[in-house]
Amino acid sequence: MADQIFSLIKQEEKRQKELIGLIPSENTVSDDVSAVLSSVLSNKYSEGYSGRRYYEGNQIIDQIEDLAVERVKELFGVPYANVQPYSGSPANLAIYFALMQPGETIMGLKLSMGGHLTHGHPQVTASGRFFKSVQYGVTANARVDFVELSKLAKKHKPKVIVAGNTAYPFELDFKKFRQVADEVGAWLVADISHVTGLVVAGEHISPVPYADVVMSTTHKTFRGPRGAMILVTSRGLKKDAELGKKIDSAIIPGLQGGPHNATTAGIAIAAKEAGTAKFKKYAQQIRRNAQALADELIKQGITLVGGGTETHLMVIDLTPFGVGLGTQVAFAMDVAGIYANRNTVPTEQGSPFYPSGVRIGTPLVTSRGMKEKEMRRIGQWIARVIEHVSTEQLPRNKTERQKFLRDFRKKALHDRELLAIRREVKTLTAKFPLFKW
Ligand code: DSN
């Protein structure tokens, strides 16, 4: 273990243990998932599918992938699953390639309003370049604007409507999405990457009765390895009996080569864990914690996008303090021992790189065993950081802004108030081991 990489891993382990992770898409996996990820399964090539591989020696891998597929199908109540996507972005692309021809129209939620790059973000993404993209938005109360969605859908006749997000704090009404999709004869694809764990625990409406295809990453609230899965629902198969085969072909040979077999095994284990009563309690606590954190922040005078949360995440709107403060607040929070990510808000007047919000969520702290009491303390710390560092405005001029942020970062690293909070954070995290699960 002499390689420098191992010492860096130790440092990263220390960082994760000592700090409070509030990035809503991050989590920590169980010992069993962790064990299979560093197993001999990584050594094997298995291009193709169970029983029809391009390489010999896949007798065991076939059984592992069969188990993963069967467990996922049972957990979600769907007739078809593919567990080979490397992650959410290629999984979404594979779905589009299975359902659309290049140049046909896709509709997804705007990135600045909580959507995802791969949901048709124009120009810079594959989904926005190979397909014609029309993006829908949210209303003044930060909920999906179904009136606008329906109007746009009737005008542009999309082939695919994506119901999904990455920074949207409310439950998605899949039933309403279905109605719009039916009005224009579009496929409905649900990207539930963020809320999968909540869905399987009954803490979020399931897309399965409404969507044709469901995609999810496996490492967020689902607590599995970094990967993804694509499900075809009974409704989807009824519309096109070949849909499962089309998804399979879009993954390989369409987009990918050999599946990551260690990840496949991890998905099988995570799917079993997600079906337990223990997991259900975990998912309930994620939401309770998010609610407690949101309540405390509001009590401390902090504004949240849409006024709160119904899920595992919320977005702090820093606009009352100034435009574009997300960068400095997220940096200062990290110095104070609480890491999150800067994020746009629906009414963004800054830019994606210098946005006016910070996105936070509770899956990881809940995995560590933290409850409402700890959330209230975290909310108080975050409010202290915001009050402390939001006194100076981010300059609009690019050169001045870069200099301001360089100076700000230098100062923040030695800031007494931020370092005092960091010490308090360390005392708290010491009581909640990262690997408690
Ligand atoms: N990067 C993921 C997230 O943080 O939500 C989405 O791809």
Side-chain angles (χ1 to χ4, degrees), residues 125-147:
T125 70
S127 63
R129 287 182 67 173
F130 291 109
F131 305 104
K132 182 177 165 233
S133 171
V134 177
Q135 303 253 277
Y136 57 88
V138 296
T139 57
N141 67 358
R143 266 77 169 178
V144 169
D145 187 342
F146 282 101
V147 176

Side-chain angles (χ1 to χ4, degrees), residues 76-122:
F76 289 91
V78 292
Y80 163 90
N82 186 312
V83 294
Q84 292 196 8
Y86 295 150
S87 209
S89 302
N92 277 337
L93 211 49
I95 295 170
Y96 306 152
F97 280 136
L99 299 178
M100 287 188 282
Q101 292 303 316
E104 290 188 315
T105 302
I106 179 173
M107 285 185 70
L109 178 63
K110 282 180 193 142
L111 183 69
S112 61
M113 296 191 165
H116 192 256
L117 283 165
T118 61
H119 296 173
H121 188 62

